[in-house]
Amino acid sequence: MALPMLSSASVIFHSPNCTSLPIPHTSHFVRRLPCHNSLSPHPSSHHLRLPWGRESPSARICASVTDVSVDVAVEEKRLPKGETWSVHKFGGTCVGNSSRIKNVADIIINDDSERKFVVVSAMSKVTDMMYDLIYKAQSRDESYVSALDVVLEKHSSTAHDLIAGEDLAAFLSQLHQDISDLKAMLQAIYIAGHATESFTEFVVGHGELWSAQILSLVIKKQGTDCKWMDTREVLIVKPTRSDQVDPDYLESERRLEKWYSTNPSDVIVATGFIASTPQNIPTTLKRDGSDFSAAIMGALCKARQVTIWTDVDGVYSADPRKVGDAVILKTLSYQEAWEMSYFGANVLHPRTITPVIRYGIPIIIRNIFNLSSSGTMICHPSIIGDEDRLKLKNYVKGFATIDNLALVNVEGTGMAGVPGTASAIFAAVKEVGANVIMISQASSEHSVCFAVPEKEVKAVAEVLQSLFDGALNVGRLSQVAVLPNCSILAAVGQKMASTPGVSATLFDALAKANINVRAVAQGCSEYNITVVIKREDSIKALRAVHSRFYLSRTTIAMGLVGPGSIGSTLLDQLRDQAAILKEELNIDLRVMGIMGSKLMLLDDDEGINLDKWRELREEKGEVADLEKFVRNVHGNHFIPNTVLVDCTADTVIASNYDDWLCKGIHVITPNKKANSGPLNEYLRLRALQRQSYTHYFYEATVGAGLPIISTLRGLLETGDRILQIEGIFSGTLSYIFNNFKDGRLFSEVVAEARDAGFTEPDPRDDLSGTDVARKVIILARESGLKLELSDIPVKNLVPEPLRVSASAEEFMQQLPKFDQELAEKLKDAESAGEVLRYVGVVDVRNSKGVVELRRYKKDDPFAQVSGSDNMIAFTTRRYKTQPLIVRGPGAGAQVTAAGIFSDILRLASYLGAPS
């Protein structure tokens, strides 16, 4: 049988705008086309359909070929198909340099599969370099010549590193021939000032030709028989639109079998990305074409599996650049992978999955730089293990986002029940070439909304306004509205829509992160739930839902106002518990700001180092600015939750709570000013709390770390009725009256308490009873009473003449002069076998409260309180004969900070952390 040999060829590029340009050495082009594999017994003349496009008078290539016949005995072999084949695809990063190509060769040789089909991309950055050559040439930028030399040097130096001898000489000869041909082509483009799509695709495909040849020679050098394939001779595709092609499987299979019959080998290295049209014009598979090539070849060979080698460990549950706790998924169904890739996840292009579904061929995503990782298997659901299916989180496999979208809403009562409205809308959208990402329509047919890329929304809005101009004028349609700056968040999972609680959990997580959903779409396929949100909320939403389903860390940005005794103690407690919060409770609490009365310390990334926050405040502190402080703590869109902790007793700070809550900022405080201030402000705060998922916790306002507020709420929420709340609410006054006995003077006990640090710097702040009155009014309002602070009668223990003393020292000097009154009360009580206690009382039955000095029998629980303990007794319908008593330390920085800390953990639990 005669094998045609090329003896001479001449090529002329005809252009209406220039003279004829000879392009040398075009025999290389002829060799790469399918006609090269045609076995002909007679000399022939071939017309090649190269990238100049269809034959036309303006531009075409012709090659005149004279055949020199040589008899060659060819033993044709049939292509074996089935599980003996394993397909590998290596991307540009995998073959980015000499050492990486050597590593790829080792992986192929060490694969124990009987037969291996390897698909390679161009070396890293080469495809971009080839596109740049085209751009420079058609822009008449002469630097395309030096840029082409860079391409030559890259591949020449790589070849010198990896291969030697005759193989090196042959490759370099062919490489220089290719570069010479490309230089002539680019010169023609330079003169014409334009390159057709076919021309461009022919040029950019050279990167794959070179990488495939180098890899095949490296494998061959290590003693393994290997053939390389120019897939333009085999893979035939039909263009459908500018960015898509459809494989012709029957023709491609026929050509593959023909190619294999003359090139049999157990290891084949093929070019990815490139193919040919039915007219034998070189083309490409467009975006992610090498992955697509591998999947097609896997289907043609009916391979056991297709492994896509990349630089990540597999498919993540979310973009790890946005969600630090994203996990590698062991398995995905074809549909799940398709949905995630459609919505922008870095998995595979959706079309890559299509060829392998028919034969149930698994696709495995693996990391070439971490061979110990097993990667992610994309396969038929029946292969996925039962253990995965039993976990709730596996109903939702992953989350993905698409940014830079706009929502278009067509709305009007005239749409309801009118056939063809939706058809007219989307026909108009098609006219302007816009891509509809998502569609949502209410069952009432009152409105249709859909998402399109933001760059296309202007044209869409204009064509719809024009189309429905008449309907808008007469009122059948009310508006064609555009909502810009949107993102789509998609939750993807097998059968998740039919699993109770999945949708509820998704929307609950978004609500608790204070994220508003603008539109929702859920298909009957049950593979995804799609929501449209503000673009600025995209990362926050992604983190919030991922945290809920995958029990990754609940991340909270925290700002602390008031780093005094209580605030600094809280920061120290948070520092000491940071590791436990992260590792055991999955809570990532980041203190993003600390503000005192004069200075503030801010951080906008990983949070302030609590080991040295005091030193940092001195070094980097700036002038306190509450507005800037709040903006910094709440402005990090990478953190879904924000809490401000107010450890002051400042009325001005407390007046900001309602604004913070409206902004979606949670508030935790021991500051009593907001809840004991004007009644209407308190009611507004509580209404805000009930109407949103923003939380306002204030357990430490009464009883420091004791569970007073939570106990009261528990009683009310379970249907109990509060009759009376009576308590020792001041640790200072508890200490004073526990030691005011046995004839001791009141002023002496007050001085002792002050020296021990139990009182405020000015003891009158404690003795006035105002602090106890605030606690009483807080509990009264929690019990449903609508009282003002002024409605509470208070026994003021500061003698009236001393209430206007100039200083605390003067007060302490004058106090002994007024010991007589309390000494007499103590004597009367002790003679009756009683003790004195300073208490607050909420009388719910009579809708009133009081703060007073009361006498109790020595066997009464109130008489048995010691030290600085608080004690609160709840008399209710259930606890009528024997009150429910809460007792313990009710003052001090440690216990108050612990109460605030408890509220922070409670908030984290509400936001999704395990409780």
Side-chain angles (χ1 to χ4, degrees):
M1 184 175 294
L3 181 67
M5 300 290 289
L6 301 178
S7 58
S8 64
S10 61
V11 178
I12 302 295
F13 174 68
H14 299 280
S15 170
N17 301 318
C18 63
T19 58
S20 298
L21 296 172
I23 299 181
H25 308 301
T26 315
S27 58
H28 176 54
F29 303 152
V30 178
R31 180 184 59 77
R32 290 206 189 98
L33 286 170
C35 61
H36 166 63
N37 280 333
S38 300
L39 299 176
S40 171
H42 303 292
S44 61
S45 179
H46 299 272
H47 284 271
L48 305 180
R49 307 302 294 271
L50 282 171
W52 279 257
R54 298 180 179 85
E55 292 192 5
S56 68
S58 62
R60 70 188 178 100
I61 285 184
C62 295
S64 175
V65 181
T66 303
D67 188 29
V68 178
S69 299
V70 179
D71 290 334
V72 179
V74 178
E75 179 186 352
E76 295 192 1
K77 287 196 174 183
R78 292 182 59 83
L79 173 70
K81 296 180 182 179
E83 295 197 354
T84 59
W85 285 103
S86 178
V87 176
H88 296 264
K89 178 264 173 178
F90 295 93
T93 306
C94 301
V95 291
N97 56 42
S98 302
S99 62
R100 291 182 180 178
I101 293 174
K102 175 68 167 56
N103 184 44
V104 167
D106 291 340
I107 290 173
I108 298 305
I109 292 168
N110 293 329
D111 178 10
D112 58 5
S113 300
E114 186 177 344
R115 296 181 176 89
K116 288 157 276 195
F117 200 113
V118 183
V119 176
V120 291
S121 299
M123 291 180 68
S124 180
K125 309 296 183 185
V126 167
T127 300
D128 290 340
M129 295 167 74
M130 303 303 284
Y131 274 116
D132 188 54
L133 291 173
I134 294 287
Y135 175 77
K136 282 183 163 72
Q138 65 184 3
S139 301
R140 295 196 169 104
D141 179 350
E142 293 182 355
S143 66
Y144 78 86
V145 177
S146 58
L148 185 59
D149 290 339
V150 173
V151 173
L152 170 62
E153 173 58 26
K154 182 180 182 72
H155 290 86
S156 177
S157 61
T158 301
H160 276 97
D161 289 343
L162 294 170
I163 49 183
E166 292 182 1
D167 287 341
L168 175 62
F171 174 77
L172 291 177
S173 173
Q174 190 61 66
L175 175 65
H176 284 278
Q177 179 100 22
D178 291 348
I179 295 296
S180 178
D181 295 342
L182 287 172
K183 190 172 291 185
M185 279 184 158
L186 292 167
Q187 183 184 7
I189 294 171
Y190 178 90
I191 294 169
H194 173 70
T196 64
E197 182 180 356
S198 296
F199 234 108
T200 299
E201 292 187 330
F202 180 77
V203 171
V204 300
H206 277 72
E208 279 73 15
L209 294 169
W210 297 324
S211 63
Q213 291 176 70
I214 291 173
L215 178 59
S216 68
L217 292 172
V218 173
I219 295 172
K220 179 183 174 185
K221 180 181 176 182
Q222 298 189 42
T224 300
D225 179 50
C226 178
K227 297 288 197 314
W228 85 275
M229 173 194 289
D230 178 354
T231 49
R232 294 177 302 183
E233 300 179 14
V234 172
L235 187 52
I236 303 302
V237 296
K238 300 175 181 177
T240 56
R241 56 185 195 188
S242 61
D243 61 344
Q244 292 288 321
V245 292
D246 286 339
D248 184 337
Y249 287 101
L250 289 176
E251 178 60 19
S252 297
E253 184 175 22
R254 185 187 69 79
R255 293 195 182 201
L256 175 61
E257 289 174 346
K258 184 176 181 180
W259 184 94
Y260 188 85
S261 70
T262 56
N263 300 277
S265 179
D266 289 341
V267 180
I268 298 170
V269 178
T271 55
F273 185 56
I274 56 177
S276 293
T277 68
Q279 295 76 35
N280 295 327
I281 298 173
T283 187
T284 68
L285 301 184
K286 320 301 179 188
R287 179 189 163 198
D288 293 319
S290 294
D291 288 353
F292 196 21
S293 298
I296 295 169
M297 291 304 179
L300 294 177
C301 294
K302 298 181 176 59
R304 174 172 56 87
Q305 66 184 34
V306 174
T307 303
I308 307 292
W309 292 90
T310 181
D311 55 1
V312 294
D313 285 342
V315 180
Y316 283 85
S317 53
D319 187 338
R321 294 168 298 181
K322 299 176 181 178
V323 181
D325 295 317
V327 300
I328 297 292
L329 301 172
K330 287 175 57 180
T331 58
L332 279 173
S333 71
Y334 294 122
Q335 290 79 6
E336 287 167 341
W338 192 94
E339 294 279 357
M340 288 186 70
S341 59
Y342 176 80
F343 286 105
N346 188 20
V347 185
L348 297 167
H349 193 280
R351 63 187 179 156
T352 303
I353 301 165
T354 306
V356 298
I357 291 180
R358 173 198 260 177
Y359 301 106
I361 301 170
I363 296 177
I364 300 173
I365 312 295
R366 291 195 62 188
N367 188 350
I368 194 167
F369 305 115
N370 182 17
L371 299 181
S372 63
S373 173
S374 59
T376 300
M377 176 183 286
I378 299 170
C379 55
H380 192 276
S382 61
I383 301 175
I384 297 173
D386 291 336
E387 182 181 347
D388 276 355
R389 274 196 283 254
L390 292 175
K391 300 175 185 175
L392 171 63
K393 72 179 184 182
N394 287 290
Y395 288 112
V396 179
K397 281 295 186 69
F399 302 91
T401 56
I402 304 177
D403 296 325
N404 302 315
L405 301 176
L407 201 60
V408 181
N409 186 45
V410 182
E411 184 178 314
T413 55
M415 292 174 60
V418 178
T421 304
S423 173
I425 291 171
F426 294 111
V429 173
K430 181 183 177 182
E431 278 183 21
V432 297
N435 181 27
V436 177
I437 308 295
M438 187 209 80
I439 303 170
S440 180
Q441 180 175 3
S443 57
S444 65
E445 301 180 5
H446 177 67
S447 68
V448 174
C449 72
F450 54 94
V452 296
E454 208 155 39
K455 62 184 180 182
E456 299 172 356
V457 73
K458 182 179 179 182
V460 170
E462 288 175 353
V463 74
L464 291 178
Q465 289 282 0
S466 174
L467 175 66
F468 294 114
D469 183 61
L472 288 165
N473 289 335
V474 299
R476 289 199 308 276
L477 290 183
S478 57
Q479 64 173 348
V480 175
V482 172
L483 201 60
N485 302 317
C486 292
S487 290
I488 279 179
L489 169 66
V492 174
Q494 186 88 18
K495 299 287 183 183
M496 68 177 185
S498 60
T499 304
V502 174
S503 296
T505 303
L506 175 73
F507 288 109
D508 184 61
L510 292 172
K512 286 183 175 179
N514 201 44
I515 293 166
N516 185 43
V517 175
R518 293 177 164 180
V520 181
Q522 180 175 333
C524 296
S525 65
E526 303 180 349
Y527 289 116
N528 89 70
I529 300 172
T530 305
V531 298
V532 180
I533 55 179
K534 291 180 183 177
R535 182 168 59 204
E536 65 191 49
D537 289 336
S538 174
I539 294 176
K540 183 193 294 188
L542 187 61
R543 291 188 172 190
V545 296
H546 188 275
S547 173
R548 180 61 57 89
F549 282 95
Y550 276 87
L551 293 181
S552 57
R553 289 173 183 158
T554 299
T555 307
I556 304 173
M558 171 181 152
L560 183 138
V561 184
S565 176
I566 294 171
S568 59
T569 302
L570 174 63
L571 291 172
D572 291 342
Q573 291 178 355
L574 293 173
R575 175 201 63 205
D576 295 341
Q577 289 294 107
I580 293 176
L581 291 179
K582 285 185 177 181
E583 302 306 323
E584 297 185 15
L585 300 179
N586 279 328
I587 299 170
D588 184 4
L589 187 66
R590 303 182 189 180
V591 178
M592 311 301 287
I594 301 170
M595 190 180 88
S597 58
K598 296 179 180 179
L599 290 176
M600 65 180 182
L601 176 65
L602 304 178
D603 188 277
D604 57 5
D605 189 15
E606 293 300 313
I608 295 168
N609 183 347
L610 296 184
D611 284 321
K612 50 182 181 178
W613 69 267
R614 293 173 178 86
E615 295 89 336
L616 290 171
R617 185 176 59 163
E618 294 302 318
E619 294 172 11
K620 301 181 179 180
E622 52 190 281
V623 176
D625 180 335
L626 183 61
E627 184 177 341
K628 181 179 179 181
F629 174 82
V630 174
R631 188 166 60 246
N632 181 82
V633 175
H634 188 51
N636 191 324
H637 294 297
F638 291 89
I639 302 179
N641 310 294
T642 305
V643 61
L644 290 176
V645 179
D646 173 20
C647 291
T648 72
D650 192 282
T651 302
V652 175
I653 298 295
S655 68
N656 287 278
Y657 292 176
D658 57 347
D659 180 54
W660 295 346
L661 292 169
C662 287
K663 290 178 178 176
I665 302 172
H666 307 285
V667 178
I668 294 174
T669 184
N671 187 344
K672 293 175 277 294
K673 297 297 173 65
N675 284 11
S676 61
L679 178 63
N680 64 322
E681 293 181 11
Y682 166 80
L683 294 175
R684 185 170 68 250
L685 281 177
R686 291 304 307 274
L688 275 173
Q689 185 183 20
R690 285 190 293 269
Q691 291 167 8
S692 70
Y693 278 92
T694 308
H695 298 285
Y696 172 43
F697 294 151
Y698 42 88
E699 183 70 71
T701 56
V702 181
L706 297 177
I708 307 301
I709 300 290
S710 56
T711 298
L712 175 56
R713 284 191 174 175
L715 293 169
L716 293 170
E717 289 169 1
T718 57
D720 204 352
R721 180 184 173 191
I722 307 298
L723 303 178
Q724 179 178 281
I725 304 172
E726 182 179 10
I728 297 172
F729 294 105
S730 168
T732 302
L733 293 172
S734 177
Y735 177 87
I736 289 173
F737 281 97
N738 284 333
N739 289 279
F740 182 43
K741 59 185 178 181
D742 302 328
R744 294 188 70 184
L745 296 176
F746 185 72
S747 59
E748 177 189 333
V749 178
V750 172
E752 179 185 288
R754 188 183 188 221
D755 291 342
F758 284 111
T759 72
E760 294 293 335
D762 189 338
R764 287 174 292 183
D765 293 339
D766 298 298
L767 298 176
S768 69
T770 303
D771 184 66
V772 176
R774 289 188 181 278
K775 295 174 181 179
V776 168
I777 200 70
I778 289 170
L779 293 177
R781 289 173 175 178
E782 291 290 311
S783 301
L785 302 184
K786 295 183 179 180
L787 298 177
E788 296 283 4
L789 187 60
S790 58
D791 296 329
I792 308 295
V794 179
K795 171 61 178 175
N796 192 333
L797 297 177
V798 180
E800 191 167 348
L802 300 184
R803 294 174 190 173
V804 292
S805 296
S807 67
E809 274 62 36
E810 182 183 345
F811 165 73
M812 291 303 297
Q813 290 172 5
Q814 298 295 323
L815 184 59
K817 297 178 181 179
F818 299 90
D819 280 338
Q820 186 62 35
E821 179 185 350
L822 283 175
E824 290 177 359
K825 289 187 178 183
L826 175 62
K827 183 178 179 181
D828 290 344
E830 289 182 337
S831 63
E834 296 174 341
V835 298
L836 295 176
R837 295 292 183 260
Y838 193 82
V839 298
V841 180
V842 179
D843 185 351
V844 179
R845 287 170 292 195
N846 296 304
S847 300
K848 64 180 183 180
V850 65
V851 177
E852 61 187 6
L853 195 60
R854 284 190 174 183
R855 290 162 51 167
Y856 293 90
K857 292 293 184 182
K858 289 188 177 180
D859 60 353
D860 190 284
F862 279 94
Q864 297 169 13
V865 173
S866 61
S868 61
D869 281 1
N870 282 191
M871 193 182 88
I872 294 87
F874 295 92
T875 303
T876 72
R877 187 176 58 190
R878 295 174 187 159
Y879 297 93
K880 194 169 186 179
T881 57
Q882 187 174 353
L884 173 63
I885 293 176
V886 179
R887 174 181 168 178
Q894 287 290 339
V895 293
T896 304
I900 301 168
F901 198 162
S902 178
D903 272 348
I904 292 172
L905 296 180
R906 181 178 164 207
L907 172 65
S909 177
Y910 283 12
L911 295 176
S915 57

